[in-house]
Amino acid sequence: MVNGLQSPVDMAFLGNGDMLIAEQSGKVRLVRNGKLQAQPVLDLSSKFNKLLPVDVRGLLGIALHPKFNSNRKIYVFYTAPTSLDKIDHTNIIAEYVLPKDMSQLDANNGKVILTTDQPGQGDNGGCLRFGPDGYLYLAIGDGGGGGDRHGPVGNGQNLNTLLSKILRIDVNTAATMNVAYSIPKDNPFVGKADVKPEIWAYGLRNAWRFSFDKATKQLFTADVGEGLYEEVDIVEKGGNYGWRMIEGNHCFNPKEGCDFNGTIKPITEYDHKSGISIIGGYVYNGKQLPTLKGKYLFADWAGPLYYIQKTGAEWHRGKVTLRNYPENIKVIAFGEDPSGELYVIANGGTLMADVKGAIYKVTN
């Protein structure tokens, strides 16, 4: 266990036993030999909006390049101020190169890869993951403000915006092409008029943590609901997950008679009697917990931990009970190490200033 963290939201494994922890308040912290190092390897807080005591902006995601051992590249997702009218902030995905001695980086030495303007404070997404294909996938929320009230169909169904989407970009050929990133040729909307070619899937309100199953290569995501339903989806190339028309398996806008044709249903959903904000996890592919093998482990911010498992054509959900697990903590995210073992990222409070965050490894 690692404790003494300030609003941890994500983690990455360097492959040598070291871990990087992203704190929402702006710091990327190093854990070496199980101990949290005092000096951050990167502090982005100077680039943020002034964060509120309870906020959903800040540093939201981190990912290592698949060839990190040779190129030392990391990618971060954070929010920054903007002077644009009716825009709360800008979402920024940036690339940094970590020095081998892990000394602190200058926050101004990053390379901005991609930006999106965010009308509202919330629903930012923020997850970054490299897929088995080597491309960078990232989730961006619907723009905030409640109900995706952005244009005639909302950002969710508008294919000419990056908001409310999972994107897929190529950061590997960028240097040779002198661009921040390029578009993989097999992205589903390449070459279509008035459609952003970065889009991999759409109609997701606020995908809070997605992951690839190491065994099947399927992309799982949790999508945080607006008010009534939380859901888990398997993300398919070009898939439409229905928001803002649909929340879970139910009409949202319009409230009745919405058109489900062409949309993909979640593999599980639950209402707010069972939780209030879903937290995406991982399909377990480790060796220490054989009873969890092949099950997708996820959580809710209100406390419950769940799994789902496919039996035949159906997905069934159950609860997970962890021993020696502190009460009244808030699950924020999960981590997966190179061997497939899982970690719970949790907060002991709700204020940004709280230094009660911790990382727990799920073991026997």
Side-chain angles (χ1 to χ4, degrees):
M1 183 184 77
V2 178
N3 54 25
L5 294 162
Q6 186 178 2
S7 301
V9 291
D10 206 358
M11 65 190 305
F13 296 84
L14 303 187
N16 61 354
D18 291 350
M19 298 183 290
L20 294 179
I21 311 296
E23 295 178 323
Q24 187 184 353
S25 51
K27 295 177 181 178
V28 177
R29 309 288 299 277
L30 174 67
V31 176
R32 173 161 286 171
N33 298 321
K35 295 182 179 180
L36 181 66
Q37 304 301 295
Q39 178 177 278
V41 297
L42 178 63
D43 187 350
L44 294 163
S45 58
S46 62
K47 293 187 169 294
F48 294 172
N49 310 65
K50 184 178 180 180
L51 299 181
L52 302 172
V54 178
D55 213 316
V56 290
R57 297 168 298 179
L59 175 56
L60 300 177
I62 187 170
L64 301 186
H65 192 281
K67 295 182 179 179
F68 172 79
N69 286 338
S70 58
N71 64 26
R72 309 291 296 179
K73 291 180 179 180
I74 68 169
Y75 297 81
V76 290
F77 186 123
Y78 66 90
T79 64
T82 178
S83 59
L84 296 175
D85 187 37
K86 297 182 180 180
I87 298 296
D88 180 81
H89 63 268
T90 299
N91 297 318
I92 294 180
I93 292 84
E95 175 190 280
Y96 286 85
V97 179
L98 289 184
K100 288 189 176 181
D101 64 2
M102 301 301 283
S103 56
Q104 187 169 349
L105 277 166
D106 185 338
N108 294 317
N109 284 348
K111 173 186 176 182
V112 173
I113 300 296
L114 182 147
T115 66
T116 59
D117 294 323
Q118 184 88 3
Q121 184 189 125
D123 302 351
N124 297 305
C127 188
L128 301 166
R129 296 290 182 264
F130 280 89
D133 51 16
Y135 296 127
L136 180 62
Y137 293 70
L138 55 129
I140 301 178
D142 68 5
D148 193 11
R149 295 188 294 270
H150 307 290
V153 296
N155 287 326
Q157 297 302 305
N158 178 3
L159 291 174
N160 200 24
T161 177
L162 300 181
L163 298 175
S164 202
K165 311 295 190 296
I166 287 181
L167 311 180
R168 179 182 186 243
I169 61 175
D170 183 358
V171 297
N172 301 308
T173 59
T176 59
M177 299 174 65
N178 197 31
V179 293
Y181 65 89
S182 61
I183 306 295
K185 293 180 180 179
D186 60 342
N187 270 16
F189 302 109
V190 168
K192 296 191 176 183
D194 298 321
V195 179
K196 298 293 186 184
E198 294 92 341
I199 297 171
W200 182 253
Y202 64 104
L204 292 154
R205 177 183 174 272
N206 187 22
W208 183 251
R209 300 309 182 233
F210 63 80
S211 63
F212 290 90
D213 180 351
K214 287 179 178 288
T216 68
K217 314 304 182 189
Q218 289 178 303
L219 175 54
F220 286 73
T221 191
D223 194 20
V224 178
E226 174 71 27
L228 293 177
Y229 298 98
E230 309 295 312
E231 67 182 82
V232 176
D233 300 286
I234 293 179
V235 178
E236 299 178 9
K237 177 181 179 179
N240 178 8
Y241 293 84
W243 180 253
R244 71 180 186 193
M245 292 186 302
I246 298 164
E247 183 183 60
N249 288 303
H250 312 271
C251 293
F252 180 84
N253 185 353
K255 293 183 178 180
E256 296 180 354
C258 57
D259 186 2
F260 286 83
N261 289 326
T263 64
I264 299 174
K265 292 184 176 181
I267 58 175
T268 193
E269 69 166 16
Y270 60 86
D271 62 24
H272 283 189
K273 295 177 183 177
S274 301
I276 58 174
S277 185
I278 195 167
I279 307 294
Y282 290 85
V283 175
Y284 182 73
N285 284 292
K287 296 181 179 179
Q288 296 186 12
L289 299 164
T291 57
L292 286 180
K293 190 76 172 180
K295 295 177 180 177
Y296 177 73
L297 186 69
F298 65 104
D300 189 275
W301 188 77
L305 272 72
Y306 296 107
Y307 73 86
I308 53 173
Q309 183 177 34
K310 192 173 186 180
T311 305
E314 301 294 327
W315 290 86
H316 299 280
R317 185 176 76 250
K319 281 192 174 183
V320 177
T321 301
L322 300 180
R323 296 189 302 270
N324 303 317
Y325 189 65
E327 295 182 359
N328 302 319
I329 64 171
K330 305 296 186 183
V331 179
I332 302 299
F334 289 82
E336 181 189 42
D337 70 19
S339 62
E341 302 302 332
L342 298 186
Y343 297 71
V344 174
I345 304 172
N347 265 350
T350 58
L351 298 178
M352 187 74 69
D354 287 338
V355 188
K356 301 177 182 178
I359 310 292
Y360 303 90
K361 185 175 183 179
V362 183
T363 62
N364 276 324

